[in-house]
Amino acid sequence: METDISSSWDIDDEYEKFIRRMNPPRVVIDNEACVNATVIRVDSANKHGILLEVVQVLTDLNLIITKAYISSDGGWFMDVFNVTDRDGKKLRDEEILEYIRKSLGPDSCFIPSRKRSVGVSPSTDYTSIELTGTDRPGLLSEVSAVLMDLKCNVVNAEVWTHNTRAAAVMHVTDESSGLAITDPERLSRIKNLLCNVLRGNNKTRGAKTAVSLGSTHTERRLHQMMFDDRDYERSDQDLADEKLRPKVTVVNIYDKDYSVVTIRCKDRPKLLFDTVCTLTDMQYVVFHANVDAESPEAYQEYYIRHVDGSPVNSEAERQRIIQCLEAAIERRVSEGLKLELCTSDRVGLLSDVTRIFRENSLSVTRAEVTTRAGKAVNTFYVQDAAGNMVDAKTIDAIRQVIGQTILQVKGGSELSRSPQESPTRFLFGGLFKSKSLCNFSLVRPYS
């Protein structure tokens, strides 16, 4: 059966390559058509998932999509995006413009495939670890401590929490060699120990770990992991907070055989990627769409059908789409105080930092860990253990412990004292023996 499926995928890939050669995609980038944005138009042969591929390229460049118009009825895909950089300016960097042309145009180096839908490819640089389980205060600290004990160095990681669930994608290397970990027995031990940590004392919801020598699109993979973990299922208590959730509606247009999904919520970076990713992974095709994010509130409208060609045909299916889109929007909404840490990288750094957070009763709601040219650039969103805003005394206590590291505190108004009294930068002294520190003016926020 597996051989038959693989053969079918290969046939589909060859057909897609043929269609692509006969109808190469065309990318037009125009800085004159709009006063306040760069207009990017993509015309291409249509196929399932193409909208996500285009949005993913733009999102990975940290571009802001202010408007989008999508039409993909029949065999052709036409899409127009109005985009800016993070500062709200038009795109002028020719290197960025050329990257967009190559990534989306006829010279693009990838031919999408369902079996590579999350970008899986061999990697000798690191080992990828995927984790899902029940969230609890101190979980990231416990996971980091286990990895350090197992002689694993965390070089990159992203952690999301939502609706009592937690998911993480972590890239680790061997502490001594700096290379990917390949020994099967060691990988099995890592997997089993991390699964025990994730499981904890919780017997009602499962915990999962996966270890591979591969590279994935981390954010898409996190959406898939949390979707598989059913983080969209809400308790009765969560249902009481309905007014706080994004406004998602699903209605059918019977004479056109479409279902229309509309979304209204507070705008934020990567919102379009999150919703398109979820619709695609739920096996829905977007035929037409209109996106407007020029005001603080974002508006998205999608005309969809299931891949089998049918619109939404039951109330249960309608509710599931609403719940899954709400979850997709909320996963990246970062609750808590934002802390940015930058220092020389070393083995065990993540374990030490998260241990200090845990000892000061902080809970990490989301984290991004990266290593760049020997520097660790980490972003944490933290609350107290009860889920409330962080008290300023807690930050002061951390200042006394962490040491010669620069920690920039974002969102100072969220500290439990007046904004005027909240410092925006602390210079800590004592714990880390870093030879050099990184100026935080170079650290760009990725939300």
Side-chain angles (χ1 to χ4, degrees):
M1 176 65 74
E2 185 174 338
T3 302
D4 292 340
I5 293 174
S6 177
S7 176
S8 175
W9 276 336
D10 290 338
I11 293 171
D12 290 341
D13 285 349
E14 290 303 317
Y15 179 72
E16 287 182 2
K17 291 176 185 178
F18 172 75
I19 294 297
R20 190 182 181 89
R21 286 194 298 268
M22 296 296 295
N23 301 282
R26 187 166 69 101
V27 180
V28 177
I29 301 177
D30 189 345
N31 265 319
E32 305 301 326
C34 181
V35 174
N36 54 8
T38 297
V39 178
I40 301 174
R41 188 173 75 244
V42 181
D43 298 332
S44 173
N46 191 21
K47 62 182 177 59
H48 180 55
I50 187 172
L51 176 59
L52 176 58
E53 292 167 12
V54 175
V55 171
Q56 184 171 299
V57 167
L58 300 178
T59 301
D60 287 347
L61 290 169
N62 292 300
L63 302 180
I64 303 298
I65 300 172
T66 59
K67 281 181 177 291
Y69 309 92
I70 293 106
S71 179
S72 62
D73 256 344
W76 199 252
F77 169 85
M78 294 178 287
D79 201 349
V80 179
F81 296 95
N82 288 13
V83 304
T84 68
D85 62 18
R86 280 299 182 94
D87 298 321
K89 298 178 180 179
K90 292 184 179 183
L91 309 185
R92 302 291 186 183
D93 188 330
E94 188 55 40
E95 185 177 345
I96 296 292
L97 299 179
E98 187 62 21
Y99 178 84
I100 293 172
R101 293 187 190 101
K102 288 185 176 180
S103 298
L104 301 178
D107 297 328
S108 58
C109 60
F110 66 92
I111 302 295
S113 163
R114 274 176 286 181
K115 64 183 173 183
R116 294 188 294 274
S117 62
V118 294
V120 177
S121 60
S123 173
T124 58
D125 297 330
Y126 55 78
T127 300
S128 180
I129 299 176
E130 297 178 354
L131 311 169
T132 55
T134 302
D135 187 31
R136 65 177 185 273
L139 179 59
L140 180 57
S141 174
E142 294 176 37
V143 168
S144 302
V146 168
L147 289 173
M148 186 178 68
D149 289 342
L150 292 170
K151 308 299 182 184
C152 299
N153 184 36
V154 179
V155 293
N156 294 292
E158 188 147 356
V159 181
W160 289 2
T161 64
H162 176 250
N163 194 21
T164 75
R165 308 303 295 168
V169 175
M170 312 182 83
H171 299 160
V172 303
T173 58
D174 176 70
E175 177 184 321
S176 58
S177 69
L179 302 176
I181 300 167
T182 58
D183 178 62
E185 290 187 8
R186 187 176 178 191
L187 292 176
S188 178
R189 177 172 170 77
I190 291 171
K191 182 177 177 179
N192 291 335
L193 288 177
L194 288 176
C195 196
N196 290 337
V197 171
L198 288 166
R199 189 176 296 112
N201 295 323
N202 191 306
K203 305 300 182 183
T204 59
R205 292 288 294 270
K208 295 181 181 178
T209 61
V211 180
S212 65
L213 294 175
S215 123
T216 66
H217 188 277
T218 300
E219 293 170 332
R220 184 174 183 193
R221 188 68 192 121
L222 284 166
H223 275 302
Q224 293 173 325
M225 291 162 61
M226 298 204 88
F227 173 78
D228 291 342
D229 198 41
R230 306 192 310 279
D231 74 314
Y232 52 84
E233 295 179 349
R234 299 181 183 274
S235 65
D236 293 339
Q237 183 177 0
D238 294 326
L239 295 175
D241 298 331
E242 186 173 351
K243 291 183 179 180
L244 303 177
R245 300 206 301 270
K247 295 179 176 62
V248 182
T249 62
V250 181
V251 297
N252 280 359
I253 301 181
Y254 291 102
D255 59 337
K256 299 292 186 181
D257 280 337
Y258 289 125
S259 295
V260 182
V261 177
T262 59
I263 299 171
R264 294 182 184 272
C265 64
K266 183 179 179 181
D267 189 35
R268 59 165 175 76
K270 302 188 179 182
L271 178 64
L272 181 60
F273 170 81
D274 294 338
T275 54
V276 171
C277 178
T278 298
L279 287 171
T280 303
D281 287 337
M282 292 180 72
Q283 298 298 301
Y284 290 101
V285 178
V286 175
F287 287 88
H288 302 281
N290 177 30
V291 175
D292 189 342
E294 289 190 313
S295 66
E297 182 182 69
Y299 174 81
Q300 299 180 358
E301 181 181 67
Y302 300 101
Y303 288 71
I304 67 168
R305 293 180 190 142
H306 195 267
V307 289
D308 64 9
S310 64
V312 176
N313 55 27
S314 71
E315 177 61 19
E317 183 183 2
R318 190 182 75 87
Q319 288 296 330
R320 187 166 182 264
I321 293 173
I322 292 173
Q323 290 176 344
C324 291
L325 286 173
E326 287 175 346
I329 294 167
E330 293 171 345
R331 287 170 193 147
R332 205 194 291 267
V333 176
S334 304
E335 299 179 353
L337 183 68
K338 182 178 180 180
L339 305 177
E340 290 180 346
L341 176 71
C342 183
T343 185
S344 296
D345 187 39
R346 62 173 175 79
V347 175
L349 176 63
L350 181 62
S351 177
D352 287 339
V353 172
T354 53
R355 173 180 55 79
I356 292 167
F357 289 164
R358 186 187 74 232
E359 291 172 349
N360 285 273
S361 300
L362 293 189
S363 179
V364 177
T365 62
R366 191 168 141 238
E368 298 174 24
V369 176
T370 59
T371 304
R372 305 171 188 167
K375 298 289 183 183
V377 182
N378 301 342
T379 301
F380 303 96
Y381 294 84
V382 298
Q383 297 176 327
D384 70 13
N388 301 317
M389 57 184 175
V390 181
D391 190 283
K393 293 181 179 179
T394 303
I395 298 298
D396 293 337
I398 293 175
R399 179 181 58 187
Q400 297 299 320
V401 176
I402 286 191
Q404 297 177 7
T405 302
I406 295 177
L407 184 71
Q408 186 171 355
V409 181
K410 297 290 186 177
S413 60
E414 296 178 17
L415 287 169
S416 55
R417 63 183 183 189
S418 67
Q420 292 81 4
E421 296 175 348
S422 299
T424 58
R425 177 173 296 180
F426 295 127
L427 299 181
F428 298 151
L431 177 70
F432 299 112
K433 307 214 179 277
S434 305
K435 294 182 180 179
S436 60
L437 299 174
C438 178
N439 190 317
F440 267 95
S441 64
L442 301 178
V443 180
R444 298 179 60 188
Y446 294 90
S447 298

